[in-house]
Every structure is written in structure tokens, then in C-alpha cells.
């Protein structure tokens, strides 16, 4: 009997300052989130022989968890400093690279991509004590082929994409398309593409039983002629299924740990695997192209990014980001040409840049118009710093 492999991927993200604000205004929700984060390693202790989990932590979440003031504030509820240490258990966790402020990358200016990705690498390398991260998690699974050269230049081996947007270049049937890794090529660079099973991921998000999952995987992979890789990706700190504190009523204690128990003794159960281990063992199948899009949300399918662009105010906010980004990068290039390195000027320019990058956070545009004001505030602060930098350069 050929084995079947399961790659579990969890996205963990909180916007800058969100946990601190919740701790003050809605402490139980803040505790639910912290408990959900802390439950991940605690649920897996003792299963190092079989458990394999991929984690993508946004830069803003890592920044909050690493903040000594925040650690002191929540100490007694969750030991956040120890939690970061637990995530370094390489027997259980594969850390995926991502973008620092969790933007929908195809919706922001390409000149900002490298800043978002390199800043995450800075904090990721510091907190996880490693130079390289094999896999890349595009926030909201927002991907476009134009990202491929940058991902390769930063050392990524593979990227996760949603099944809704993948189209074969090499002729293949749908089981091969969904359950084998492939390559995608753009601009002379290529990267391995790992395809998320949208239907099974929807079940993972809302709640499922181990028996149902095993039967569904068996049925879906029945016609695979090589060991299939079934990849499920969801948030890991949102929704009642992940936040529920009752034993036996959340993802870990009702589904994943019982699945691990079965996998230890039944070779027919999908075996957890790190994606890089699967690639080392079985390689890739063919070539695909990936259409620009995101994963599905509770309201939209991910095509056209309607979740983030549905209203005029959302569109205006994104348009303002593009305009300000052009000004910021033009001034950076001008300063480099003139050799201007004064500390006061560079500080003003950095203030403008990081405020711009934070304005690009996907959450600012996800909730209709409810959070667009947060992007607008950051953009206004960025303009103020940029104008001061422009005046400085002219003086």
C-alpha cells in the first residue's frame, strides 16, 4: 500500500498593537488568542515521533510576543517568552517565512515586497536562530507569479498557493494537480508550488472528526499513482474551533491528537510530514501556472480580492498606498544618488517607510470599511515624515 502524506499549515497573525488593545478592552478574547497560541506546542509534546506542523507567524505577531513589556503584562496567563522557545522545536515545527506586516502582496506596490519580506527575515532569523526558511507563506494566500524571482532570491524553496488558482502547464489530471508538488516559472526563475486543498481546509477551519478526514483523504487520493501530499491550510488562532478552551472540543484535542494516535499504528492513516521532507523524498511532478488571487474568506472566493477592495473607501486607501509608496521610493533613490546619509534624514525616511508598510496590513482592508481608518492614520503619519525628509533634502 502506498503511503499518503498530510502537510498541516497554520497561519498565526495579529495586527500591530491588537493584542495589547484587546488585553485592555476585551481581556477574555485576548486570553483566548494567547491560549490558542500556547495550546499548539503543549498539545504536541510527546508526539515528536509523528507530529509535523508548519507555522507562519506574521512579523507583527512576533514583534508583540518578543516585546518584554507585553511578556510582563500577560505573564501569569501565558508565558510568552517560553512560548517562542517552544516554537523552536524542529521535531514538531517547520517555520515558514512570510511578510512582516501581513499585506495582501499583489495589492501593494512591488517595490514594497522586498521590504516586507526582508523585514520578516530579520525578525525570523533573530527569534528562531536560523538563516534559512525553506517555505514561504503569502499572507491571505495572496499570490501572483511576479513574486517568484524575489522569493528565489531570498532563498525560498517552495511557496503555498490555493487550489482555486492553479492551472497545469504539464498535462495532468486533477489528483496530480492537487496532491503533487509542481514548479512555476516566471522571469527566468522557478519555485516549487505546494497546492492547498481548499475543500479539506474549509473542513479544518470549521471542525471535523479524524474518521471523516481519513475517509475523505482516501477517496480524494484514490487515483493517485504516487504517494500524494495533501495540504491543509487555515488560521490557527481564529475561530471557535481553534480558540475553544474545552478539552475535546477544539482542533487539537478533538481532531489532531486523536489523528496522531491513529497514525502511530495504522499505515492507512495520512502520515504527517514536513513539506521539505516530502520534496527530498519524492520531488516534484510537473509545471503549473498560478493565477493571481487569494484564499477563500467567509464571504468571498479569493478571485479579484473583493474582500479587500469591495468598497470605494477600500479602493481609495489602496490607491493612496501606491501613490505614497512611489514618493517614498523616489526619495530613497534620490538620497542614494546624492549620497545623503545624515542620521536625522535617514530617521525621517525610515519613519515614512515603516508607517507605509504597516498601513498595508491586510486586516486594515479585510473588515469592509471598519479598519480602513487605521491605514489612513498610518499614511498620514508617513506623509508627515516624508514631507519633513523632502524639506531636509532640499536644505
Amino acid at each position: 500500500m502506498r503511503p499518503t502524506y498530510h502537510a498541516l499549515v497554520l497561519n498565526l497573525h495579529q495586527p500591530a498593537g491588537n493584542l495589547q488593545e484587546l488585553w485592555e478592552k476585551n481581556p477574555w478574547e485576548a486570553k483566548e488568542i494567547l491560549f490558542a497560541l500556547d495550546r499548539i506546542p503543549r498539545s504536541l509534546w510527546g508526539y515528536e515521533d509523528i507530529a509535523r506542523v508548519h507555522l507562519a507567524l506574521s512579523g507583527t505577531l512576533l514583534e508583540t510576543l518578543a516585546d518584554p513589556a507585553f511578556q510582563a503584562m500577560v505573564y501569569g496567563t501565558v508565558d510568552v517568552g517560553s512560548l517562542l522557545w517552544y516554537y523552536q522545536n524542529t521535531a514538531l515545527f517547520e517555520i515558514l517565512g512570510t511578510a512582516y506586516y501581513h499585506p495582501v502582496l499583489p495589492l501593494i506596490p512591488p517595490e514594497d515586497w522586498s521590504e516586507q519580506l526582508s523585514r520578516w527575515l530579520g525578525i525570523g532569523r533573530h527569534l528562531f536562530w536560523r538563516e534559512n526558511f525553506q517555505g514561504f507563506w503569502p499572507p491571505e494566500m495572496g499570490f501572483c507569479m511576479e513574486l517568484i524571482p524575489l522569493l528565489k532570491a531570498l532563498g525560498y524553496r517552495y511557496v503555498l498557493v490555493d487550489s482555486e488558482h492553479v492551472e497545469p502547464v504539464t498535462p495532468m489530471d486533477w489528483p496530480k494537480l492537487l496532491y503533487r508538488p509542481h514548479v512555476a516559472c516566471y522571469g527566468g526563475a522557478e519555485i516549487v508550488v505546494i497546492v492547498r486543498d481548499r475543500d479539506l481546509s474549509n473542513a479544518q477551519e470549521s471542525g471535523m472528526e479524524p474518521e471523516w478526514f481519513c475517509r475523505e483523504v482516501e477517496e480524494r487520493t484514490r487515483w493517485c499513482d504516487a504517494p500524494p501530499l495533501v495540504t491543509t491550510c487555515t488560521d490557527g488562532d481564529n475561530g471557535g474551533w481553534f480558540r475553544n478552551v474545552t478539552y475535546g472540543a477544539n482542533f487539537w484535542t478533538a481532531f489532531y491528537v486523536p489523528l496522531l494516535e491513529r497514525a502511530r499504528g495504522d499505515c492507512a492513516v495520512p502520515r504527517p510530514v514536513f513539506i521539505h521532507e516530502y520534496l527530498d523524498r519524492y520531488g516534484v511532478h510537473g509545471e503549473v501556472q498560478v493565477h493571481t488571487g487569494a484564499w477563500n474568506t467567509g464571504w468571498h472566493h479569493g478571485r479579484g480580492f473583493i474582500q479587500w477592495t469591495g468598497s470605494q473607501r477600500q479602493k481609495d486607501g489602496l490607491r493612496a498606498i501606491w501613490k505614497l509608496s512611489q514618493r517614498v521610493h523616489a526619495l530613497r533613490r534620490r538620497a542614494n544618488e546624492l549620497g545623503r546619509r545624515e542620521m536625522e534624514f535617514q530617521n525621517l525616511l525610515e519613519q515614512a517607510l515603516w508607517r507605509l508598510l504597516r498601513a498595508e496590513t491586510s486586516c486594515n482592508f479585510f473588515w469592509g470599511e471598519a479598519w480602513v481608518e487605521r491605514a489612513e492614520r498610518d499614511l498620514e503619519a508617513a506623509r508627515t515624515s516624508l514631507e519633513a525628509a523632502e524639506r531636509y533634502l532640499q536644505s
Side-chain angles (χ1 to χ4, degrees), residues 157-172:
R157 182 182 185 185
Y158 66 85
V159 61
L160 290 132
V161 302
D162 188 73
S163 56
E164 179 75 12
H165 311 300
V166 181
E167 180 180 315
V169 175
T170 303
M172 66 184 83

Side-chain angles (χ1 to χ4, degrees), residues 84-99:
L84 285 172
W85 176 253
Y86 301 152
Y87 285 158
Q88 295 192 42
N89 186 340
T90 56
L92 294 173
F93 301 117
E94 175 82 358
I95 303 298
L96 303 175
T98 186

Side-chain angles (χ1 to χ4, degrees), residues 9 32 39 48 51 64 98 102 135 139 159 163 177-178 228 249 279-280 298 308 310 326 332 334 337 367 376:
V9 182
E32 281 186 313
R39 192 178 300 115
E48 284 82 359
T64 296
T98 186
H102 202 267
V159 61
S163 56
L177 183 65
L178 261 65
L279 291 173
D280 290 344
W308 299 270
Q326 290 175 347
R332 295 178 83 196
R334 181 63 176 157
E337 291 170 359
W367 304 105
E376 294 168 343

Side-chain angles (χ1 to χ4, degrees), residues 162-218:
D162 188 73
S163 56
E164 179 75 12
H165 311 300
V166 181
E167 180 180 315
V169 175
T170 303
M172 66 184 83
D173 55 21
W174 73 264
K176 288 188 177 70
L177 183 65
L178 261 65
Y179 304 124
R180 294 290 300 277
H182 309 286
V183 296
C185 305
Y186 185 89
E190 72 174 34
I191 196 165
V192 175
V193 167
I194 305 298
V195 182
R196 171 205 190 222
D197 186 312
R198 176 176 284 199
D199 292 336
L200 288 177
S201 296
N202 288 343
Q204 175 174 297
E205 183 177 36
S206 58
M208 58 184 173
E209 298 176 344
E211 294 77 9
W212 178 89
F213 178 74
C214 292
R215 289 195 304 269
E216 192 70 15
V217 168
E218 180 182 5

Side-chain angles (χ1 to χ4, degrees), residues 366-385:
F366 182 88
W367 304 105
E369 298 184 357
W371 279 29
V372 176
E373 182 181 357
R374 299 184 181 212
E376 294 168 343
R377 288 200 303 266
D378 267 333
L379 289 174
E380 186 57 37
R383 287 189 197 95
T384 300
S385 296

Side-chain angles (χ1 to χ4, degrees), residues 329-341:
H329 291 291
L331 188 61
R332 295 178 83 196
R333 289 191 293 270
R334 181 63 176 157
N336 285 334
E337 291 170 359
L338 297 175
R340 301 295 294 269
R341 298 288 187 271

